[in-house]
Amino acid sequence: MLYTKHINLTDATETTLFTVPSGFHVVIQYIFIANHAGSTKDASLHFANSGGGNRVDVFDAVNVSSGGNLTLGNGGGPLFVLHEGEVVKAQTEASSDMEFAVTFDLTYVPFTLQNFV
């Protein structure tokens, strides 16, 4: 089933957008970031395993002009597959008004044998 999770950040605190629940994986379809502040601000969005390792920076301190936006995924195909426990986080800078939205398909992972490769 498709979901969109979104947050609005106004300071430089790195914030968790969502964590993939146990027994599921997430197929990210679309990412949208909008700057509602009066000046250009930086936007960052990444995902990593729950311990912070294996980090993938999708956007790393990318400048977004006032009233501007960033999008990724208009082609209709999946962008990334995340597994249980992986975390999507967003961050901007102080005195911001930045919106982050991620649309994804949350899918139950069926049972498999441990030695199945």
Side-chain angles (χ1 to χ4, degrees):
M1 179 168 209
L2 287 176
Y3 294 90
T4 297
K5 179 68 175 158
H6 118 286
I7 57 173
N8 193 345
L9 300 180
T10 58
D11 63 27
T13 304
E14 183 179 73
T15 303
T16 298
L17 189 60
F18 65 88
T19 303
V20 180
S22 295
F24 291 87
H25 68 255
V26 160
V27 179
I28 295 179
Q29 302 287 334
Y30 186 72
I31 299 170
F32 175 82
I33 300 172
N35 180 4
H36 303 295
S39 61
T40 299
K41 299 291 182 179
D42 289 344
S44 298
L45 184 117
H46 74 272
F47 62 87
N49 63 25
S50 59
N54 297 323
R55 177 177 166 147
V56 174
D57 289 299
V58 179
F59 293 106
D60 188 11
V62 176
N63 286 330
V64 183
S65 62
S66 174
N69 62 62
L70 299 171
T71 61
L72 186 61
N74 284 332
L79 297 173
F80 304 102
V81 177
L82 282 63
H83 302 282
E84 63 181 51
E86 291 188 304
V87 180
V88 176
K89 294 186 177 191
Q91 188 172 13
T92 186
E93 56 185 283
S95 302
S96 293
D97 184 5
M98 192 79 70
E99 179 180 8
F100 295 81
V102 176
T103 298
F104 56 91
D105 191 4
L106 181 65
T107 305
Y108 174 73
V109 177
F111 176 78
T112 59
L113 298 173
Q114 292 291 0
N115 62 353
F116 183 76
V117 180

